[in-house]
Amino acid sequence: MELTTVWFVIIAFLWTSYFFLEGFDFGVGILLPVLGRDDVERRVVINTIGPVWDGNEVWFIVAGAATFAAFPEWYATLFSGFYLPLLAILLSLIVRGVAFEYRGKRDDARWRARWDRAIFWGSLLPAFLWGVAFSNIVRGVPLDASHEFTGTLLDLLNPYALLGGLTTTVLFVLHGAVFLALKTSGEIRFRARRVAEIAVVAAIAAGGTFLLITQLQHGKPVTWLTAGGAAAGLLLAAVANRRGREGWAFIGTGAAIVLAVATLFTALFPDVMPSTLASGTLTTDNAASSDYTLKIMTWVAAAFTPIVLIYQGWTYWVFRRRIGTAHIPAAPKKPEPVR
């Protein structure tokens, strides 16, 4: 296997890992105002991802860095042509991270409510815009012979891309609801299961339509298998959630996300940025770095990827137990004024 193909697979793995892990992060953030009826319950919801959300975002940084190093032409075209959507994603992630850190800095209900809204929008916008971005990558965008993006923002907001954004949003909401049902106890757990029952119907409808269109327009014989596997994952999640088997439901939603992303990358290969014009398509060959660069990167990836996986797996193992409102300490009472 050529190194260009190896690194296409590695980058696909990095993006898939990011969507699998950050997907339930985004879902939890979107569901914060839905499942958290008061401040204690909202603290429970946030605490389910508190130890892991920043580690999950590392996969985005590594995926972007790997794309820059392995396929610099792809990186340059992608980040220049998709400048506004990617800027919106980055700003949303920054605001979301600040909200997690600053929410509890003041004992003020209005202060916390503002940061809760920041968590909601900082989760919803990336969840939608990532779907829009990757749908456009698979569909193709207008690139000239120099691989420069010649379109406008409106070209990126086409019906197929908007459907892709809706699909990632409902998938992440479902993934987050199942994760909350898996990680919480008491009333929040049962509310999360009820939300998952609704979300899985929306995910099957939106995701099934999106993957069918993708398969008919860009698919290959093997992508029928990955798309069908994604649908099977959603059905598994629906049945397991109805039976109260949150672990199996989470496996189902995770499999659906992984296989849906695999469908997109498999349909894309060997292109990395198709052009809707007569010329300008970027492939794994004309977008790649030199063989020497790819060889060095391969050795570095082989050495450090297992370490990252082991550390992150250990983090999830340490914080594996359920939490509920009983685990949230009561706020200290304010001293009464001296008269």
Side-chain angles (χ1 to χ4, degrees):
M1 184 182 294
E2 296 180 355
L3 284 177
T4 53
T5 303
V6 170
W7 272 97
F8 181 88
V9 173
I10 291 174
I11 289 172
F13 167 75
L14 293 173
W15 281 111
T16 302
S17 300
Y18 172 66
F19 288 133
F20 172 78
L21 295 171
E22 192 82 313
F24 67 75
D25 267 4
F26 290 148
V28 169
I30 294 169
L31 291 173
L32 177 63
V34 177
L35 298 180
R37 303 288 177 82
D38 54 34
D39 184 62
V40 174
E41 291 186 346
R42 286 190 287 272
R43 288 171 65 188
V44 171
V45 171
I46 292 172
N47 285 355
T48 60
I49 59 173
V52 298
W53 70 267
D54 48 354
N56 294 342
E57 290 189 353
V58 169
W59 290 93
F60 166 47
I61 298 171
V62 175
T67 304
F68 170 76
F71 299 101
E73 286 282 351
W74 184 14
Y75 180 92
T77 301
L78 177 64
F79 278 78
S80 60
F82 292 29
Y83 177 79
L84 288 177
L86 291 176
L87 178 62
I89 289 172
L90 290 174
L91 291 177
S92 299
L93 293 177
I94 291 171
V95 170
R96 181 171 175 265
V98 171
F100 281 131
E101 298 297 331
Y102 275 74
R103 182 186 185 278
K105 297 299 183 182
R106 287 175 56 183
D107 186 17
D108 185 333
R110 287 181 297 179
W111 168 272
R112 290 191 294 268
R114 293 190 192 102
W115 291 119
D116 288 344
R117 286 193 292 271
I119 293 172
F120 171 79
W121 288 107
S123 301
L124 178 62
L125 288 177
F128 178 76
L129 291 176
W130 277 128
V132 171
F134 273 84
S135 299
N136 277 299
I137 292 174
V138 174
R139 173 181 177 269
V141 292
L143 302 176
D144 61 20
S146 300
H147 311 303
E148 295 289 336
F149 179 74
T150 59
T152 65
L153 178 62
L154 292 179
D155 293 322
L156 302 179
L157 300 178
N158 54 81
Y160 175 73
L162 294 176
L163 177 59
L166 176 63
T167 298
T168 53
T169 302
V170 295
L171 273 176
F172 292 165
V173 168
L174 172 61
H175 200 36
V178 171
F179 178 79
L180 282 169
L182 178 65
K183 286 288 295 177
T184 59
S185 59
E187 185 62 27
I188 299 177
R189 175 189 178 189
F190 294 107
R191 280 190 219 135
R193 284 173 53 186
R194 288 195 293 269
V195 169
E197 289 181 359
I198 300 171
V200 74
V201 176
I204 291 172
T209 304
F210 175 74
L211 288 178
L212 180 60
I213 294 173
T214 301
Q215 182 63 29
L216 294 176
Q217 294 183 351
H218 312 285
K220 301 170 183 176
V222 68
T223 53
W224 281 111
L225 296 176
T226 54
L234 290 177
L235 293 176
L236 171 62
V239 173
N241 180 70
R242 178 64 64 90
R243 295 182 178 179
R245 303 294 297 273
E246 290 96 346
W248 282 105
F250 187 72
I251 291 173
T253 57
I257 291 173
V258 168
L259 291 171
V261 178
T263 301
L264 296 183
F265 274 97
T266 305
L268 181 63
F269 183 81
D271 296 339
V272 293
M273 183 70 78
S275 174
T276 56
L277 304 179
S279 61
T281 293
L282 281 168
T283 67
T284 53
D285 290 329
N286 63 15
S289 295
S290 66
D291 285 342
Y292 180 75
T293 300
L294 295 179
K295 287 179 182 178
I296 297 297
M297 290 176 60
T298 303
W299 284 108
V300 172
F304 287 99
T305 301
I307 298 174
V308 174
L309 291 173
I310 291 171
Y311 173 77
Q312 193 155 30
W314 174 80
T315 302
Y316 277 93
W317 175 257
V318 170
F319 296 102
R320 67 188 182 278
R321 300 191 182 280
R322 295 180 184 270
I323 62 173
T325 55
H327 298 94
I328 302 298
K333 296 181 178 180
K334 295 181 180 181
E336 296 183 0
V338 178
R339 297 179 180 176

